[in-house]
Amino acid sequence: MPEYEVKVKFHIFPYRKFKISANNEEEAREIANDQAQHVIDTLDFSVTNIKAKRYLMDKFL
């Protein structure tokens, strides 16, 4: 099976600030973790390059 090299560009904002309403610090931490996970799950990216790796024929002989 051929192998490919793929270049992926992630569109990441270096800094995000969330305003959260919570009753205590533990709840605020939990909400912040949920928000961070949502950002990770919906991270925007684009594939910039795909190319097949080339092998020398000697490897197959």
Short mmCIF file of all heavy atoms in Angstrom, two decimals:
data_model
loop_
_atom_site.label_atom_id
_atom_site.label_comp_id
_atom_site.label_asym_id
_atom_site.label_seq_id
_atom_site.Cartn_x
_atom_site.Cartn_y
_atom_site.Cartn_z
N MET A 1 0.85 -1.17 0.00
CA MET A 1 0.00 0.00 0.00
C MET A 1 0.91 1.25 0.00
O MET A 1 1.81 1.37 0.82
CB MET A 1 -0.88 -0.03 1.25
CG MET A 1 -1.76 1.19 1.37
SD MET A 1 -2.91 1.07 2.76
CE MET A 1 -4.19 0.11 1.99
N PRO A 2 0.66 2.18 -0.89
CA PRO A 2 1.51 3.37 -0.94
C PRO A 2 1.29 4.27 0.27
O PRO A 2 0.22 4.30 0.87
CB PRO A 2 1.07 4.08 -2.22
CG PRO A 2 -0.26 3.52 -2.54
CD PRO A 2 -0.34 2.16 -1.94
N GLU A 3 2.36 4.98 0.64
CA GLU A 3 2.27 5.94 1.73
C GLU A 3 2.27 7.34 1.15
O GLU A 3 2.85 7.58 0.08
CB GLU A 3 3.45 5.77 2.67
CG GLU A 3 3.43 4.47 3.44
CD GLU A 3 4.60 4.36 4.40
OE1 GLU A 3 5.44 5.27 4.42
OE2 GLU A 3 4.65 3.36 5.12
N TYR A 4 1.65 8.24 1.85
CA TYR A 4 1.54 9.62 1.39
C TYR A 4 2.04 10.57 2.47
O TYR A 4 1.91 10.29 3.65
CB TYR A 4 0.08 9.98 1.05
CG TYR A 4 -0.44 9.25 -0.15
CD1 TYR A 4 -0.99 7.99 -0.04
CD2 TYR A 4 -0.37 9.84 -1.41
CE1 TYR A 4 -1.45 7.31 -1.15
CE2 TYR A 4 -0.85 9.17 -2.52
CZ TYR A 4 -1.39 7.91 -2.39
OH TYR A 4 -1.85 7.24 -3.49
N GLU A 5 2.61 11.68 2.02
CA GLU A 5 2.94 12.78 2.92
C GLU A 5 1.87 13.84 2.73
O GLU A 5 1.56 14.22 1.61
CB GLU A 5 4.31 13.37 2.58
CG GLU A 5 5.47 12.47 2.91
CD GLU A 5 6.80 13.11 2.57
OE1 GLU A 5 6.82 14.24 2.07
OE2 GLU A 5 7.82 12.46 2.80
N VAL A 6 1.30 14.28 3.83
CA VAL A 6 0.22 15.25 3.77
C VAL A 6 0.58 16.45 4.63
O VAL A 6 1.01 16.29 5.77
CB VAL A 6 -1.10 14.63 4.27
CG1 VAL A 6 -2.22 15.65 4.23
CG2 VAL A 6 -1.46 13.40 3.46
N LYS A 7 0.43 17.65 4.07
CA LYS A 7 0.64 18.87 4.85
C LYS A 7 -0.73 19.45 5.18
O LYS A 7 -1.57 19.62 4.30
CB LYS A 7 1.46 19.89 4.05
CG LYS A 7 2.89 19.47 3.84
CD LYS A 7 3.67 20.54 3.11
CE LYS A 7 5.08 20.07 2.83
NZ LYS A 7 5.84 21.07 2.06
N VAL A 8 -0.93 19.73 6.46
CA VAL A 8 -2.20 20.27 6.93
C VAL A 8 -1.93 21.60 7.62
O VAL A 8 -1.01 21.71 8.43
CB VAL A 8 -2.87 19.29 7.92
CG1 VAL A 8 -4.17 19.87 8.44
CG2 VAL A 8 -3.11 17.94 7.28
N LYS A 9 -2.73 22.60 7.28
CA LYS A 9 -2.61 23.91 7.91
C LYS A 9 -3.79 24.09 8.85
O LYS A 9 -4.94 24.00 8.44
CB LYS A 9 -2.61 25.01 6.85
CG LYS A 9 -2.49 26.40 7.44
CD LYS A 9 -2.49 27.44 6.33
CE LYS A 9 -2.40 28.83 6.93
NZ LYS A 9 -2.44 29.86 5.89
N PHE A 10 -3.48 24.31 10.13
CA PHE A 10 -4.53 24.56 11.12
C PHE A 10 -4.73 26.05 11.27
O PHE A 10 -3.78 26.82 11.32
CB PHE A 10 -4.15 23.95 12.48
CG PHE A 10 -4.16 22.45 12.47
CD1 PHE A 10 -3.00 21.73 12.29
CD2 PHE A 10 -5.34 21.77 12.65
CE1 PHE A 10 -3.01 20.35 12.28
CE2 PHE A 10 -5.37 20.39 12.63
CZ PHE A 10 -4.20 19.68 12.45
N HIS A 11 -5.99 26.46 11.31
CA HIS A 11 -6.34 27.87 11.47
C HIS A 11 -6.65 28.09 12.95
O HIS A 11 -7.78 27.88 13.39
CB HIS A 11 -7.53 28.23 10.58
CG HIS A 11 -7.32 27.81 9.16
ND1 HIS A 11 -6.56 28.55 8.28
CD2 HIS A 11 -7.74 26.73 8.47
CE1 HIS A 11 -6.53 27.94 7.11
NE2 HIS A 11 -7.23 26.83 7.19
N ILE A 12 -5.62 28.48 13.69
CA ILE A 12 -5.72 28.57 15.15
C ILE A 12 -5.61 30.03 15.58
O ILE A 12 -4.72 30.76 15.14
CB ILE A 12 -4.60 27.75 15.82
CG1 ILE A 12 -4.69 26.29 15.40
CG2 ILE A 12 -4.66 27.88 17.32
CD1 ILE A 12 -3.54 25.44 15.87
N PHE A 13 -6.48 30.42 16.47
CA PHE A 13 -6.35 31.73 17.09
C PHE A 13 -5.42 31.56 18.29
O PHE A 13 -5.61 30.67 19.10
CB PHE A 13 -7.72 32.24 17.57
CG PHE A 13 -8.67 32.51 16.44
CD1 PHE A 13 -9.68 31.61 16.13
CD2 PHE A 13 -8.54 33.65 15.67
CE1 PHE A 13 -10.55 31.85 15.09
CE2 PHE A 13 -9.40 33.89 14.61
CZ PHE A 13 -10.42 32.99 14.32
N PRO A 14 -4.40 32.42 18.40
CA PRO A 14 -3.41 32.21 19.46
C PRO A 14 -3.97 32.42 20.87
O PRO A 14 -3.46 31.89 21.83
CB PRO A 14 -2.34 33.25 19.15
CG PRO A 14 -3.01 34.25 18.29
CD PRO A 14 -4.10 33.54 17.56
N TYR A 15 -5.04 33.18 21.01
CA TYR A 15 -5.54 33.50 22.34
C TYR A 15 -7.04 33.70 22.28
O TYR A 15 -7.54 34.43 21.42
CB TYR A 15 -4.86 34.77 22.85
CG TYR A 15 -5.35 35.25 24.18
CD1 TYR A 15 -4.97 34.60 25.34
CD2 TYR A 15 -6.18 36.36 24.27
CE1 TYR A 15 -5.41 35.05 26.57
CE2 TYR A 15 -6.62 36.81 25.49
CZ TYR A 15 -6.24 36.16 26.64
OH TYR A 15 -6.67 36.60 27.85
N ARG A 16 -7.76 33.06 23.15
CA ARG A 16 -9.21 33.24 23.24
C ARG A 16 -9.57 33.48 24.68
O ARG A 16 -9.04 32.86 25.58
CB ARG A 16 -9.95 32.01 22.74
CG ARG A 16 -10.10 32.01 21.27
CD ARG A 16 -11.34 31.24 20.89
NE ARG A 16 -11.38 31.20 19.44
CZ ARG A 16 -12.07 30.35 18.75
NH1 ARG A 16 -12.79 29.45 19.35
NH2 ARG A 16 -12.06 30.38 17.45
N LYS A 17 -10.53 34.36 24.87
CA LYS A 17 -11.00 34.67 26.22
C LYS A 17 -12.49 34.36 26.28
O LYS A 17 -13.24 34.76 25.40
CB LYS A 17 -10.75 36.14 26.51
CG LYS A 17 -10.92 36.54 27.92
CD LYS A 17 -10.50 38.00 28.08
CE LYS A 17 -10.31 38.34 29.51
NZ LYS A 17 -9.88 39.73 29.68
N PHE A 18 -12.91 33.62 27.29
CA PHE A 18 -14.31 33.27 27.48
C PHE A 18 -14.82 33.95 28.74
O PHE A 18 -14.12 34.01 29.74
CB PHE A 18 -14.50 31.76 27.63
CG PHE A 18 -14.09 30.97 26.43
CD1 PHE A 18 -12.91 30.27 26.40
CD2 PHE A 18 -14.92 30.92 25.31
CE1 PHE A 18 -12.54 29.54 25.29
CE2 PHE A 18 -14.56 30.19 24.20
CZ PHE A 18 -13.36 29.51 24.18
N LYS A 19 -16.04 34.44 28.70
CA LYS A 19 -16.71 34.95 29.89
C LYS A 19 -17.71 33.89 30.32
O LYS A 19 -18.60 33.51 29.56
CB LYS A 19 -17.39 36.28 29.61
CG LYS A 19 -16.40 37.38 29.35
CD LYS A 19 -17.07 38.72 29.24
CE LYS A 19 -16.00 39.77 29.00
NZ LYS A 19 -16.56 41.11 28.94
N ILE A 20 -17.55 33.40 31.54
CA ILE A 20 -18.34 32.28 32.03
C ILE A 20 -19.06 32.69 33.30
O ILE A 20 -18.47 33.35 34.17
CB ILE A 20 -17.42 31.07 32.32
CG1 ILE A 20 -16.74 30.60 31.05
CG2 ILE A 20 -18.20 29.94 32.94
CD1 ILE A 20 -15.67 29.58 31.28
N SER A 21 -20.30 32.29 33.44
CA SER A 21 -21.04 32.46 34.69
C SER A 21 -21.09 31.12 35.39
O SER A 21 -21.57 30.14 34.83
CB SER A 21 -22.46 32.95 34.41
OG SER A 21 -22.43 34.22 33.80
N ALA A 22 -20.58 31.07 36.62
CA ALA A 22 -20.57 29.82 37.38
C ALA A 22 -20.73 30.14 38.86
O ALA A 22 -20.45 31.25 39.31
CB ALA A 22 -19.26 29.08 37.13
N ASN A 23 -21.17 29.14 39.62
CA ASN A 23 -21.38 29.32 41.06
C ASN A 23 -20.10 29.18 41.87
O ASN A 23 -20.00 29.75 42.96
CB ASN A 23 -22.42 28.32 41.57
CG ASN A 23 -23.79 28.59 40.96
OD1 ASN A 23 -24.13 29.73 40.70
ND2 ASN A 23 -24.56 27.54 40.74
N ASN A 24 -19.15 28.39 41.37
CA ASN A 24 -17.89 28.22 42.10
C ASN A 24 -16.77 27.95 41.11
O ASN A 24 -16.99 27.80 39.90
CB ASN A 24 -18.01 27.08 43.14
CG ASN A 24 -18.46 25.78 42.51
OD1 ASN A 24 -18.05 25.45 41.41
ND2 ASN A 24 -19.31 25.03 43.23
N GLU A 25 -15.55 27.88 41.63
CA GLU A 25 -14.37 27.71 40.77
C GLU A 25 -14.38 26.36 40.05
O GLU A 25 -13.99 26.26 38.89
CB GLU A 25 -13.10 27.86 41.60
CG GLU A 25 -11.84 27.87 40.76
CD GLU A 25 -10.59 28.11 41.57
OE1 GLU A 25 -10.67 28.74 42.64
OE2 GLU A 25 -9.53 27.64 41.12
N GLU A 26 -14.84 25.33 40.75
CA GLU A 26 -14.88 23.99 40.13
C GLU A 26 -15.82 23.97 38.92
O GLU A 26 -15.48 23.42 37.87
CB GLU A 26 -15.32 22.96 41.17
CG GLU A 26 -15.28 21.53 40.65
CD GLU A 26 -15.68 20.53 41.73
OE1 GLU A 26 -15.27 20.71 42.89
OE2 GLU A 26 -16.40 19.59 41.37
N GLU A 27 -16.98 24.58 39.07
CA GLU A 27 -17.94 24.65 37.96
C GLU A 27 -17.37 25.49 36.81
O GLU A 27 -17.51 25.13 35.64
CB GLU A 27 -19.26 25.25 38.44
CG GLU A 27 -20.33 25.26 37.37
CD GLU A 27 -21.63 25.89 37.84
OE1 GLU A 27 -21.70 26.34 39.01
OE2 GLU A 27 -22.57 25.92 37.03
N ALA A 28 -16.71 26.59 37.15
CA ALA A 28 -16.09 27.44 36.12
C ALA A 28 -15.01 26.67 35.37
O ALA A 28 -14.90 26.76 34.14
CB ALA A 28 -15.48 28.68 36.76
N ARG A 29 -14.22 25.88 36.08
CA ARG A 29 -13.16 25.07 35.44
C ARG A 29 -13.78 24.03 34.51
O ARG A 29 -13.30 23.81 33.41
CB ARG A 29 -12.31 24.40 36.51
CG ARG A 29 -11.07 23.70 35.98
CD ARG A 29 -10.22 23.16 37.10
NE ARG A 29 -9.80 24.17 38.05
CZ ARG A 29 -8.75 24.96 37.88
NH1 ARG A 29 -8.02 24.86 36.80
NH2 ARG A 29 -8.43 25.84 38.80
N GLU A 30 -14.86 23.41 34.95
CA GLU A 30 -15.54 22.40 34.13
C GLU A 30 -16.11 23.02 32.85
O GLU A 30 -15.98 22.47 31.76
CB GLU A 30 -16.65 21.74 34.94
CG GLU A 30 -17.31 20.58 34.24
CD GLU A 30 -18.35 19.90 35.11
OE1 GLU A 30 -18.06 19.68 36.31
OE2 GLU A 30 -19.44 19.62 34.59
N ILE A 31 -16.74 24.18 32.98
CA ILE A 31 -17.30 24.87 31.80
C ILE A 31 -16.18 25.28 30.86
O ILE A 31 -16.30 25.13 29.63
CB ILE A 31 -18.14 26.09 32.24
CG1 ILE A 31 -19.39 25.61 32.99
CG2 ILE A 31 -18.53 26.92 31.03
CD1 ILE A 31 -20.16 26.73 33.66
N ALA A 32 -15.07 25.79 31.41
CA ALA A 32 -13.93 26.19 30.58
C ALA A 32 -13.35 24.99 29.84
O ALA A 32 -12.99 25.08 28.66
CB ALA A 32 -12.85 26.85 31.43
N ASN A 33 -13.26 23.85 30.51
CA ASN A 33 -12.76 22.63 29.85
C ASN A 33 -13.69 22.21 28.72
O ASN A 33 -13.24 21.79 27.66
CB ASN A 33 -12.61 21.49 30.86
CG ASN A 33 -11.38 21.63 31.71
OD1 ASN A 33 -10.41 22.26 31.31
ND2 ASN A 33 -11.42 21.05 32.89
N ASP A 34 -15.00 22.32 28.94
CA ASP A 34 -15.97 21.98 27.89
C ASP A 34 -15.82 22.93 26.69
O ASP A 34 -15.87 22.49 25.54
CB ASP A 34 -17.39 22.05 28.42
CG ASP A 34 -17.71 20.94 29.40
OD1 ASP A 34 -16.96 19.96 29.45
OD2 ASP A 34 -18.73 21.07 30.12
N GLN A 35 -15.62 24.22 26.96
CA GLN A 35 -15.44 25.20 25.89
C GLN A 35 -14.16 24.90 25.11
O GLN A 35 -14.14 24.96 23.88
CB GLN A 35 -15.37 26.61 26.47
CG GLN A 35 -16.69 27.13 26.97
CD GLN A 35 -17.67 27.37 25.83
OE1 GLN A 35 -17.31 27.80 24.76
NE2 GLN A 35 -18.93 27.08 26.09
N ALA A 36 -13.08 24.58 25.83
CA ALA A 36 -11.81 24.26 25.17
C ALA A 36 -11.95 23.02 24.30
O ALA A 36 -11.43 22.97 23.18
CB ALA A 36 -10.71 24.07 26.22
N GLN A 37 -12.65 22.01 24.79
CA GLN A 37 -12.85 20.78 24.01
C GLN A 37 -13.66 21.07 22.76
O GLN A 37 -13.39 20.53 21.70
CB GLN A 37 -13.53 19.70 24.86
CG GLN A 37 -13.58 18.36 24.19
CD GLN A 37 -12.19 17.81 23.90
OE1 GLN A 37 -11.32 17.79 24.76
NE2 GLN A 37 -11.98 17.35 22.68
N HIS A 38 -14.66 21.96 22.88
CA HIS A 38 -15.46 22.34 21.72
C HIS A 38 -14.60 23.04 20.67
O HIS A 38 -14.73 22.77 19.47
CB HIS A 38 -16.61 23.25 22.15
CG HIS A 38 -17.42 23.75 21.01
ND1 HIS A 38 -18.27 22.94 20.29
CD2 HIS A 38 -17.50 24.97 20.43
CE1 HIS A 38 -18.84 23.64 19.33
NE2 HIS A 38 -18.39 24.88 19.39
N VAL A 39 -13.68 23.92 21.10
CA VAL A 39 -12.78 24.59 20.17
C VAL A 39 -11.91 23.56 19.45
O VAL A 39 -11.72 23.63 18.24
CB VAL A 39 -11.91 25.64 20.90
CG1 VAL A 39 -10.80 26.15 19.99
CG2 VAL A 39 -12.77 26.79 21.37
N ILE A 40 -11.40 22.58 20.19
CA ILE A 40 -10.56 21.54 19.59
C ILE A 40 -11.38 20.72 18.58
O ILE A 40 -10.91 20.43 17.47
CB ILE A 40 -9.97 20.63 20.68
CG1 ILE A 40 -8.94 21.41 21.50
CG2 ILE A 40 -9.35 19.37 20.08
CD1 ILE A 40 -8.50 20.71 22.76
N ASP A 41 -12.60 20.34 18.95
CA ASP A 41 -13.44 19.50 18.08
C ASP A 41 -13.83 20.21 16.79
O ASP A 41 -14.05 19.57 15.77
CB ASP A 41 -14.69 19.05 18.81
CG ASP A 41 -14.39 18.07 19.93
OD1 ASP A 41 -13.29 17.49 19.94
OD2 ASP A 41 -15.27 17.90 20.81
N THR A 42 -13.95 21.53 16.83
CA THR A 42 -14.40 22.29 15.66
C THR A 42 -13.26 23.06 15.01
O THR A 42 -13.50 23.99 14.23
CB THR A 42 -15.52 23.27 16.04
OG1 THR A 42 -15.03 24.18 17.03
CG2 THR A 42 -16.73 22.54 16.56
N LEU A 43 -12.04 22.66 15.29
CA LEU A 43 -10.85 23.34 14.76
C LEU A 43 -10.87 23.33 13.24
O LEU A 43 -11.05 22.28 12.62
CB LEU A 43 -9.60 22.65 15.28
CG LEU A 43 -8.26 23.31 15.00
CD1 LEU A 43 -8.21 24.68 15.65
CD2 LEU A 43 -7.14 22.45 15.53
N ASP A 44 -10.69 24.49 12.65
CA ASP A 44 -10.71 24.62 11.20
C ASP A 44 -9.32 24.30 10.64
O ASP A 44 -8.31 24.73 11.20
CB ASP A 44 -11.11 26.05 10.82
CG ASP A 44 -11.42 26.18 9.34
OD1 ASP A 44 -11.72 25.17 8.70
OD2 ASP A 44 -11.35 27.31 8.84
N PHE A 45 -9.27 23.55 9.56
CA PHE A 45 -7.99 23.20 8.94
C PHE A 45 -8.18 23.06 7.45
O PHE A 45 -9.30 22.93 6.95
CB PHE A 45 -7.41 21.91 9.53
CG PHE A 45 -8.22 20.70 9.19
CD1 PHE A 45 -7.91 19.93 8.08
CD2 PHE A 45 -9.29 20.31 9.97
CE1 PHE A 45 -8.65 18.81 7.75
CE2 PHE A 45 -10.05 19.19 9.66
CZ PHE A 45 -9.72 18.44 8.55
N SER A 46 -7.08 23.08 6.73
CA SER A 46 -7.12 22.81 5.30
C SER A 46 -5.91 21.98 4.92
O SER A 46 -4.83 22.13 5.48
CB SER A 46 -7.15 24.12 4.49
OG SER A 46 -6.05 24.93 4.82
N VAL A 47 -6.11 21.07 3.98
CA VAL A 47 -5.03 20.24 3.47
C VAL A 47 -4.33 21.03 2.36
O VAL A 47 -4.96 21.43 1.39
CB VAL A 47 -5.58 18.90 2.93
CG1 VAL A 47 -4.46 18.07 2.33
CG2 VAL A 47 -6.29 18.14 4.02
N THR A 48 -3.04 21.29 2.56
CA THR A 48 -2.33 22.13 1.60
C THR A 48 -1.56 21.33 0.55
O THR A 48 -1.32 21.84 -0.53
CB THR A 48 -1.35 23.08 2.33
OG1 THR A 48 -0.42 22.30 3.09
CG2 THR A 48 -2.10 24.02 3.26
N ASN A 49 -1.19 20.10 0.89
CA ASN A 49 -0.39 19.33 -0.07
C ASN A 49 -0.49 17.84 0.24
O ASN A 49 -0.43 17.44 1.39
CB ASN A 49 1.08 19.79 0.02
CG ASN A 49 1.92 19.20 -1.09
OD1 ASN A 49 1.41 18.65 -2.04
ND2 ASN A 49 3.23 19.33 -0.95
N ILE A 50 -0.65 17.04 -0.80
CA ILE A 50 -0.63 15.58 -0.67
C ILE A 50 0.29 15.05 -1.76
O ILE A 50 0.13 15.38 -2.93
CB ILE A 50 -2.03 14.96 -0.86
CG1 ILE A 50 -3.00 15.50 0.17
CG2 ILE A 50 -1.96 13.44 -0.79
CD1 ILE A 50 -4.42 15.02 -0.03
N LYS A 51 1.26 14.22 -1.35
CA LYS A 51 2.11 13.61 -2.37
C LYS A 51 2.50 12.21 -1.93
O LYS A 51 2.68 11.93 -0.75
CB LYS A 51 3.34 14.46 -2.67
CG LYS A 51 4.38 14.52 -1.59
CD LYS A 51 5.59 15.30 -2.07
CE LYS A 51 6.69 15.27 -1.03
NZ LYS A 51 7.89 15.94 -1.47
N ALA A 52 2.60 11.34 -2.91
CA ALA A 52 2.98 9.96 -2.65
C ALA A 52 4.48 9.91 -2.38
O ALA A 52 5.26 10.59 -3.04
CB ALA A 52 2.62 9.08 -3.82
N LYS A 53 4.86 9.09 -1.39
CA LYS A 53 6.29 8.89 -1.14
C LYS A 53 6.85 8.04 -2.27
O LYS A 53 6.19 7.14 -2.78
CB LYS A 53 6.50 8.17 0.19
CG LYS A 53 6.33 9.04 1.38
CD LYS A 53 6.74 8.27 2.61
CE LYS A 53 6.84 9.14 3.82
NZ LYS A 53 7.31 8.39 4.99
N ARG A 54 8.04 8.33 -2.66
CA ARG A 54 8.69 7.56 -3.73
C ARG A 54 9.67 6.56 -3.12
O ARG A 54 10.38 6.88 -2.17
CB ARG A 54 9.44 8.51 -4.67
CG ARG A 54 8.47 9.42 -5.38
CD ARG A 54 9.12 10.10 -6.54
NE ARG A 54 8.12 10.94 -7.20
CZ ARG A 54 8.33 12.15 -7.61
NH1 ARG A 54 9.51 12.70 -7.51
NH2 ARG A 54 7.38 12.85 -8.18
N TYR A 55 9.67 5.39 -3.67
CA TYR A 55 10.55 4.32 -3.18
C TYR A 55 11.50 3.92 -4.29
O TYR A 55 11.15 3.95 -5.46
CB TYR A 55 9.73 3.09 -2.76
CG TYR A 55 8.87 3.35 -1.55
CD1 TYR A 55 7.51 3.63 -1.71
CD2 TYR A 55 9.40 3.33 -0.29
CE1 TYR A 55 6.72 3.86 -0.62
CE2 TYR A 55 8.61 3.58 0.81
CZ TYR A 55 7.28 3.83 0.64
OH TYR A 55 6.49 4.07 1.73
N LEU A 56 12.68 3.50 -3.88
CA LEU A 56 13.63 2.94 -4.85
C LEU A 56 13.16 1.52 -5.20
O LEU A 56 12.66 0.79 -4.36
CB LEU A 56 15.04 2.88 -4.25
CG LEU A 56 15.66 4.24 -3.92
CD1 LEU A 56 16.99 4.01 -3.19
CD2 LEU A 56 15.88 5.04 -5.18
N MET A 57 13.33 1.15 -6.44
CA MET A 57 12.91 -0.19 -6.88
C MET A 57 13.68 -1.28 -6.17
O MET A 57 13.18 -2.39 -6.00
CB MET A 57 13.08 -0.33 -8.40
CG MET A 57 11.98 0.34 -9.20
SD MET A 57 10.34 -0.20 -8.73
CE MET A 57 10.27 -1.80 -9.47
N ASP A 58 14.88 -0.97 -5.68
CA ASP A 58 15.68 -1.98 -4.97
C ASP A 58 14.95 -2.49 -3.72
O ASP A 58 15.14 -3.62 -3.30
CB ASP A 58 17.04 -1.41 -4.56
CG ASP A 58 17.90 -1.08 -5.76
OD1 ASP A 58 17.61 -1.62 -6.86
OD2 ASP A 58 18.87 -0.31 -5.61
N LYS A 59 14.15 -1.65 -3.13
CA LYS A 59 13.43 -2.07 -1.91
C LYS A 59 12.40 -3.16 -2.22
O LYS A 59 12.04 -3.94 -1.36
CB LYS A 59 12.71 -0.88 -1.29
CG LYS A 59 13.63 0.11 -0.61
CD LYS A 59 12.81 1.17 0.09
CE LYS A 59 13.72 2.14 0.82
NZ LYS A 59 12.97 3.15 1.57
N PHE A 60 11.91 -3.20 -3.44
CA PHE A 60 10.88 -4.17 -3.79
C PHE A 60 11.46 -5.46 -4.37
O PHE A 60 10.73 -6.42 -4.57
CB PHE A 60 9.89 -3.56 -4.80
CG PHE A 60 9.13 -2.40 -4.22
CD1 PHE A 60 9.44 -1.10 -4.57
CD2 PHE A 60 8.13 -2.61 -3.28
CE1 PHE A 60 8.74 -0.03 -4.04
CE2 PHE A 60 7.43 -1.55 -2.74
CZ PHE A 60 7.74 -0.26 -3.11
N LEU A 61 12.72 -5.47 -4.70
CA LEU A 61 13.35 -6.66 -5.29
C LEU A 61 13.90 -7.60 -4.26
O LEU A 61 14.23 -7.32 -3.19
CB LEU A 61 14.46 -6.23 -6.26
CG LEU A 61 13.98 -5.36 -7.42
CD1 LEU A 61 15.17 -4.94 -8.26
CD2 LEU A 61 12.98 -6.13 -8.28
#
